[in-house]
Amino acid sequence: MELLAGAKIIRLRTHKGKYLIAGDDEESVRQDRDGSMKQARWRVEFVDGNDGVRLKSCYGKYLTATNEPIVPRTKGHKVLQTLPTRLTSAIEWQVERQGSELRFKTHYGQFLRPYGGLPPYRNRVGHDVPCRTHTEDKILWELDILESVDSVKSQENAIH
């Protein structure tokens, strides 16, 4: 969790160099190589009482683990942007460090992961448990801290 300490705005990059992107429809989540767009920026909210975080898109919606399958009759589930009426475990992610990379785990033990390959999987993002050792690296995310709490405080002090 120390990698996220003090982070306010982050960007997450997959092992293939694609970024976690909030879809323009303000509901979907996908991957894209262009990390400079505003949709690649996620606000970090720390959950009191545990090591969890909530990630909020540029549209003010939370990264949410759903029970809806990515494709019918598959084990992977969709990740969406939602604005729930109350804060639940579906929008909380436990952060685990592995070297310099992070894994984001749901309350039920599944991991945020990018999907690739042919449609309908191409550039999708979901959550599940990798079933093979060669897919374990697919749940690892590289972290870019774009704005930290300290940088915001120093900007505020410079103004005053």
Side-chain angles (χ1 to χ4, degrees):
M1 189 65 148
E2 63 274 358
L3 281 177
L4 278 176
K8 186 173 181 182
I9 305 289
I10 63 169
R11 192 170 51 187
L12 296 174
R13 189 172 52 252
T14 71
H15 68 287
K16 294 211 174 186
K18 293 183 178 182
Y19 294 89
L20 181 68
I21 302 292
D24 292 334
D25 61 3
E26 299 184 22
E27 183 179 279
S28 63
V29 178
R30 61 184 174 83
Q31 307 168 60
D32 196 292
R33 292 210 181 274
D34 184 5
S36 66
M37 61 177 86
K38 72 175 184 176
Q39 292 92 338
R41 299 168 60 94
W42 295 87
R43 179 174 300 277
V44 179
E45 292 181 2
F46 293 92
V47 179
D48 291 334
N50 64 29
D51 287 339
V53 296
R54 296 182 198 107
L55 299 177
K56 202 174 214 182
S57 74
C58 62
Y59 301 111
K61 296 184 175 182
Y62 291 100
L63 184 68
T64 306
T66 72
N67 290 327
E68 188 178 339
I70 286 186
V71 177
R73 295 183 295 279
T74 61
K75 73 177 196 139
H77 294 89
K78 286 184 181 180
V79 173
L80 299 172
Q81 302 173 69
T82 67
L83 195 55
T85 54
R86 61 186 179 88
L87 302 178
T88 67
S89 62
I91 63 171
E92 293 178 10
W93 299 88
Q94 298 299 312
V95 181
E96 297 178 355
R97 181 179 180 170
Q98 185 163 337
S100 62
E101 297 173 313
L102 301 175
R103 293 187 294 205
F104 292 84
K105 186 168 74 171
T106 68
H107 180 70
Y108 299 102
Q110 296 183 326
F111 293 94
L112 179 67
R113 70 167 285 193
Y115 287 88
L118 299 172
Y121 290 102
R122 181 174 291 145
N123 293 329
R124 296 271 184 111
V125 178
H127 65 96
D128 71 15
V129 177
C131 59
R132 298 185 192 116
T133 54
H134 74 276
T135 58
E136 295 254 340
D137 64 334
K138 293 181 180 180
I139 61 172
L140 296 174
W141 297 83
E142 293 180 34
L143 172 70
D144 295 333
I145 297 177
L146 303 177
E147 192 175 306
S148 66
V149 174
D150 295 336
S151 67
V152 172
K153 286 180 183 176
S154 63
Q155 288 174 358
E156 288 172 357
N157 290 338
I159 293 171
H160 298 296

